Amino acid sequence: MLRIPALALLAAVLLPAQADPPKLMLPATVTPLSYEAELRLTPGVDEFDGQVRIDVEIRQATATVWLHAKELTLKRVRVGGSAATVNSAPNDFVALTVDEILQPGPTRITLDYTGKMSLVLTDGIFHQQYKGDWYTFTKFEPVTARRAFPCFDEPAFKTPWQLTVRVPSGLKAFSNTPVESETNEDDGTKSVRFARTKPLPTYLVALAVGPFDVVDAGAIGRNRSPARIIVPRGRAVEAAYAAENTPKAVQLLEEYFGMAYPYEKLDQVVVPITTSWGAMENAGLIAYGQSLLVKPNEDTITRQRARLNTMVHEIAHQWFGNLVTMQWWDDIWLNEGFASWIASKLVDQWHPEWKGRTSAVAGANSAKVSDSLVSARKVRQTIETPGDIGLAFDGITYVKGAALLRMFENWLGEDKFRKGIQAHLARHAWKSATTDDLLAALSGAAGRDVSAGFSSFLDERGVPLLTANVRCDGQRPMLELGQARFVPLGSTGSEKGRWRLPVCIRWNGGRECVELSAERQRFELKIATACPEWFYANENGAGYYRVIHQGPWPDRLMADGARLSNPEMVALLQDVQALATSGKVDAGRALAIGKHFSDSTDYDVLTAAIRIGASLSPFVPNDLLPNYARFLRSWL
Ligand SMILES: [Zn+2]
């Protein structure tokens, strides 16, 4: 809680009633232009001192400036040269009130304060002891910068920051930008002043202080920016993988985005203890848990895949999230869905032998399962209370968000999709953007409206169930599609489907993409010269929907001539499992399909096949379970 000096309290009582406290967002009356902050801290000592100077723009005459602070003691507060009274309100809002009305125009707020580094949380500003050494770190996303600085703690406020820390002279200090100057003081401390940052939202500001070892990771990207891995003392040898792979990760991302790495340097720092987060994309100072490190003789491909995926995810945020930031937390899927999608895409391009495309399709099933429930959250869910912000970082945001991008990329084509992403980044660099901005850029690049279709998935919860049939009784084969909402067995939810569904089908003679915008629709397969021998209505398994093929087509998918890719087989098997357990596909038929595909040597395909057998075992009477087990063993 904010502690308020007694004199200030008295003054508050004498002032006329001020505006009601904000409920969710700061009022638009005052906006920050830049910050200068100085923190004096010693890792291992809870309390720290801070001073922040915030240049702001008063947009409407007011006597009160609202900002955020949490568990800070504000000692001396001045607004535009006058002493201000401090009042706290629920949800970390703080009112700074002055006697004279502040007229529109620029002014400066100065706050002297103390705070505490947490020993328990690994959010906000915190310190921890590792192998006898004390370290201080910050991790502010989504809303804990306010534990370190009084600030306008919302992502739309992107401003330059100039940070200085005063720390024991034997320690190293890192922040978003390179060190500009280091001055030894005569009390055994030193002042480390960092270069002014590019415009950053509060949640991307970062600090790390401690007796670190520093591993050079070379020069990265078109601008040959310096890169380093910052590790707890004694663990430099374990940073080799991260150091060796950082330059190529940056190169692949620059190629995709068509734009140089946007910051002056790239440090990646290891936080020994993290709770509830694995990595954080602070601009120029990405933080990771210990999984970034590995003893050279203990590495495995599984660990490398996970590590590289996390690195590419976090480095991708330097463009998508940091350079262009979502306006407000209801668009957090823009950050997280995008970073998850591009990490899996680029790691697959880098290491095709890891078969990441198949794993990505397999992984999307977890979102489809939770999204089938009536209680599922929308991707673009309105934030109604401050508590909703933290809840938005869930599987729907990360996994469904990534799956939707994969589906629309497949439907529009990789080139058009990439052009749209590049246009979006170029247009909003150093600023904020919304989902609508991204969809406008994709529509522009695609030469057709993408917004309505994409929005139908962002604003509608649930997984579509597509029915697909091809009839060959006319001049050309006709594709018949229908949509409903997939619901689990026993669900009372509506089965009405309301999507504009981007569907790509593939058959032995070609592929075609259509948009299903009604409940049922027919499409001519224009390029088909003959009736297909087989077709599959989820090309590359990229569709965020489940499919039931009707007519003779399910059998033909299991015929010898059918050539499904591994991602397609995974999608088909997962759909069969979901449909069988929800009573929409006969169990015997589902088992036949599982058995058919269980001769695959691909891990994800085989796993998806076996899961059909496992998921139906609860329906087998106890006395028949030994027979059932023998039947499943015969698949392998
Ligand atoms: Zn992320």
Side-chain angles (χ1 to χ4, degrees):
M1 282 298 292
L2 197 89
R3 274 151 277 161
I4 303 161
L7 262 178
L9 263 179
L10 182 64
V13 173
L14 299 175
L15 277 172
Q18 65 201 25
D20 286 341
K23 296 272 185 296
L24 182 63
M25 293 173 80
L26 291 166
T29 44
V30 183
T31 52
L33 302 173
S34 68
Y35 291 80
E36 260 181 80
E38 224 176 295
L39 294 186
R40 186 181 176 135
L41 61 89
T42 303
V45 177
D46 289 350
E47 187 152 300
F48 66 92
D49 290 317
Q51 186 183 58
V52 177
R53 289 174 294 281
I54 315 174
D55 285 326
V56 299
E57 178 79 17
I58 308 287
R59 297 190 176 276
Q60 266 174 46
T62 179
T64 300
V65 178
W66 287 98
L67 41 66
H68 293 102
K70 190 175 179 73
E71 293 173 22
L72 300 177
T73 304
L74 306 191
K75 295 192 158 159
R76 186 167 171 274
V77 181
R78 299 184 78 77
V79 178
S82 311
T85 310
V86 177
N87 282 288
S88 61
N91 297 317
D92 315 330
F93 289 112
V94 175
L96 314 179
T97 305
V98 287
D99 293 342
E100 299 279 318
I101 298 283
L102 300 159
Q103 295 303 326
T107 192
R108 173 172 277 199
I109 304 171
T110 312
L111 304 107
D112 291 354
Y113 63 99
T114 58
K116 282 195 170 169
M117 295 190 276
S118 181
L119 264 175
V120 180
L121 300 174
T122 57
D123 274 279
I125 183 164
F126 55 96
H127 58 161
Q128 51 190 233
Q129 195 178 26
Y130 179 72
K131 294 195 171 171
D133 295 320
W134 281 94
Y135 297 86
T136 288
F137 300 97
T138 61
K139 184 266 183 185
F140 292 153
E141 192 182 25
V143 289
T144 51
R146 62 191 68 172
R147 288 179 175 275
F149 316 100
C151 57
F152 295 76
D153 201 4
E154 291 178 2
F157 297 122
K158 293 181 78 168
T159 70
W161 282 71
Q162 197 276 303
L163 286 177
T164 302
V165 289
R166 188 144 163 197
V167 296
S169 55
L171 300 182
K172 298 185 177 99
F174 301 90
S175 185
N176 306 90
T177 49
V179 171
E180 196 174 76
S181 68
E182 211 169 289
T183 317
N184 280 316
E185 310 289 348
D186 47 17
D187 59 354
T189 66
K190 62 179 178 182
S191 287
V192 183
R193 182 183 162 93
F194 298 97
R196 186 176 156 99
T197 70
K198 296 282 198 325
L200 291 183
T202 45
Y203 82 89
L204 290 172
V205 173
L207 281 173
V209 179
F212 295 103
D213 284 345
V214 177
V215 178
D216 183 20
I220 53 158
R222 295 181 193 169
N223 296 336
R224 314 302 294 153
S225 313
R228 300 175 296 188
I229 315 295
I230 317 288
V231 301
R233 174 150 64 183
R235 299 194 63 183
V237 68
E238 297 171 57
Y241 185 90
E244 281 161 20
N245 286 281
T246 294
K248 177 144 184 193
V250 172
Q251 180 205 324
L252 289 176
L253 286 159
E254 283 190 341
E255 284 166 10
Y256 190 86
F257 293 133
M259 194 186 281
Y261 173 74
Y263 299 101
E264 299 90 331
K265 54 101 176 168
L266 174 58
D267 287 332
Q268 295 172 93
V269 62
V270 173
V271 181
I273 305 163
T274 61
T275 55
S276 78
W277 58 275
M280 176 61 214
E281 69 267 23
N282 309 309
L285 181 63
I286 301 172
Y288 296 86
Q290 292 203 33
S291 61
L292 190 71
L293 302 179
V294 66
K295 293 196 173 80
N297 58 348
E298 288 181 3
D299 213 1
T300 64
I301 287 179
T302 305
R303 287 178 174 178
Q304 288 179 0
R305 280 182 72 172
R307 189 179 312 117
L308 201 55
N309 204 66
T310 307
M311 288 172 65
V312 176
H313 176 119
E314 301 305 329
I315 299 172
H317 275 312
Q318 305 302 310
W319 289 263
F320 222 95
N322 299 7
L323 178 67
V324 178
T325 307
M326 77 268 139
Q327 185 92 27
W328 178 239
W329 298 110
D330 51 3
D331 270 339
I332 186 62
W333 84 273
L334 268 183
N335 272 12
E336 299 306 346
F338 186 89
S340 303
W341 165 76
I342 199 158
S344 102
K345 179 182 174 69
L346 294 185
V347 171
D348 180 57
Q349 184 184 323
W350 189 344
H351 286 286
E353 74 280 10
W354 290 349
K355 300 177 181 171
R357 266 168 199 251
T358 315
S359 307
V361 171
N365 196 51
S366 66
K368 290 182 188 169
V369 169
S370 49
D371 203 14
S372 301
L373 304 176
V374 174
S375 56
R377 204 177 64 78
K378 294 173 194 165
V379 174
R380 187 159 57 178
Q381 181 93 34
T382 308
I383 303 281
E384 285 167 3
T385 68
D388 289 343
I389 295 170
L391 295 178
F393 290 77
D394 69 353
I396 292 291
T397 289
Y398 283 76
V399 184
K400 182 175 177 181
L404 296 182
L405 291 164
R406 192 175 308 116
M407 171 165 69
F408 279 90
E409 182 202 28
N410 190 69
W411 188 65
L412 292 175
E414 283 186 302
D415 286 348
K416 285 181 183 163
F417 196 82
R418 187 177 60 235
K419 283 199 181 93
I421 298 293
Q422 291 184 351
H424 175 72
L425 287 177
R427 201 171 293 158
H428 302 284
W430 308 114
K431 294 184 290 221
S432 308
T434 62
T435 294
D436 290 339
D437 294 325
L438 174 68
L439 299 183
L442 289 174
S443 299
R448 62 182 297 179
D449 176 57
V450 177
S451 300
F454 216 120
S455 296
S456 76
F457 280 86
L458 297 172
D459 299 329
E460 192 75 50
R461 48 174 69 87
V463 183
L465 174 59
L466 183 77
T467 49
N469 198 351
V470 170
R471 291 192 191 275
C472 295
D473 37 19
Q475 271 240 315
R476 286 206 188 276
M478 292 295 292
L479 172 67
E480 294 181 354
L481 298 178
Q483 62 164 312
R485 179 176 175 182
F486 174 81
V487 294
L489 193 63
S491 171
T492 54
S494 161
E495 294 189 41
K496 202 163 170 50
R498 299 180 191 85
W499 290 274
R500 293 176 75 102
L501 202 59
V503 177
C504 292
I505 80 157
R506 201 165 72 74
W507 68 94
N508 50 299
R511 68 184 290 263
E512 190 143 331
C513 294
V514 298
E515 186 182 50
L516 172 63
S517 52
E519 214 167 312
R520 304 200 67 79
Q521 235 171 311
R522 286 160 62 90
F523 304 88
E524 196 180 59
L525 292 184
K526 295 191 200 78
I527 64 158
T529 50
C531 192
E533 287 165 24
W534 56 270
F535 87 97
Y536 182 57
N538 188 359
E539 185 195 34
N540 297 325
Y544 188 78
Y545 49 77
R546 300 205 185 275
V547 191
I548 296 185
H549 293 84
Q550 296 175 320
W553 304 105
D555 287 335
R556 299 218 193 154
L557 277 172
M558 290 200 291
D560 285 346
R563 292 278 176 271
L564 295 187
S565 66
N566 285 339
E568 289 167 342
M569 283 189 239
V570 166
L572 181 144
L573 289 163
Q574 290 178 332
D575 288 356
V576 166
Q577 182 193 331
L579 292 162
T581 49
S582 69
K584 292 185 175 69
V585 162
D586 173 72
R589 170 145 205 95
L591 289 170
I593 295 171
K595 184 172 167 55
H596 175 79
F597 289 100
S598 67
D599 60 358
S600 171
T601 53
D602 182 88
Y603 169 82
D604 287 304
V605 175
L606 187 56
T607 304
I610 291 170
R611 283 198 174 137
I612 293 177
S615 67
L616 292 172
S617 66
F619 303 105
V620 180
N622 276 348
D623 56 333
L624 292 179
L625 276 174
N627 297 5
Y628 190 69
R630 203 163 53 245
F631 167 64
L632 292 186
R633 278 199 299 274
S634 76
W635 293 17
L636 302 174

